[in-house]
Amino acid sequence: MNLEDFKKRMVQSRWDPKTLEIAIRARFICEYCGCEFYSSVNYYESIQIDHIIPKKYGGNDTSNNLALVCRTCNFIKRNWNPGKNQTKRLTRKELLEITRTYLTSKRKEKEERMLYEANLVRKILNISIEDK
């Protein structure tokens, strides 16, 4: 099968042609965290397109400003602008790297908060079980 046949089949399956082009460029991997979209249903169902530079800050809809991302990365990033406070125009690769660094930090913060809350949940569940 050649690339054009592959694209036709994917579009027939469910893919928007523009999204498919972005996904092929990204190798069907989240461009921020690296999750592989075909490794689980959860990842597969989380595929989204993100504006690297948000439209709110002058980003556009060109493929150079669009990234294939998972829902979690897109949710954490929201309207954060990797180009903010930059003195020179950055390449797509540089913007992606800045975004990855930012998201790694934010994910770590969320994981720490999640672990703290998980401990609280375990404690309250043990208390409620003992109360019965």
Side-chain angles (χ1 to χ4, degrees):
M1 174 184 333
N2 65 31
L3 184 58
E4 290 309 311
D5 289 337
F6 168 77
K7 289 178 184 179
K8 283 180 190 173
R9 288 183 184 191
M10 293 297 277
V11 168
Q12 290 170 347
S13 172
R14 80 164 196 128
W15 286 84
D16 169 77
K18 186 174 182 180
T19 302
L20 180 59
E21 291 296 330
I22 293 164
I24 291 169
R25 177 186 65 203
R27 304 181 66 81
F28 297 90
I29 295 172
C30 176
E31 294 188 77
Y32 295 155
C33 74
C35 76
E36 297 180 13
F37 291 114
Y38 285 104
S39 67
S40 77
V41 172
N42 287 343
Y43 285 146
Y44 177 76
E45 290 298 326
S46 80
I47 295 171
Q48 297 185 351
I49 298 294
D50 181 50
H51 290 86
I52 300 168
I53 303 280
K55 291 179 92 170
K56 177 179 181 177
Y57 298 108
N60 56 42
D61 289 326
T62 63
S63 65
N64 201 44
N65 189 47
L66 299 175
L68 187 74
V69 300
C70 68
R71 182 179 298 123
T72 302
C73 284
N74 204 12
F75 179 79
I76 293 170
K77 180 180 173 278
R78 297 184 189 210
N79 280 322
W80 182 77
N81 181 6
K84 185 179 179 185
N85 300 325
Q86 300 298 322
T87 56
K88 68 172 186 137
R89 184 177 169 96
L90 300 174
T91 66
R92 181 178 193 280
K93 184 177 178 180
E94 291 168 324
L95 291 168
L96 285 173
E97 190 55 42
I98 290 168
T99 303
R100 286 184 197 111
T101 300
Y102 171 80
L103 288 174
T104 298
S105 170
K106 289 296 179 185
R107 277 180 175 266
K108 183 174 169 117
E109 289 173 18
K110 283 193 175 286
E111 286 171 3
E112 288 170 358
R113 185 171 51 240
M114 182 186 76
L115 290 174
Y116 171 75
E117 291 174 8
N119 266 342
L120 293 176
V121 167
R122 284 187 201 95
K123 287 177 183 175
I124 194 66
L125 290 177
N126 284 335
I127 291 170
S128 63
I129 291 170
E130 292 169 6
D131 288 345
K132 289 185 179 182

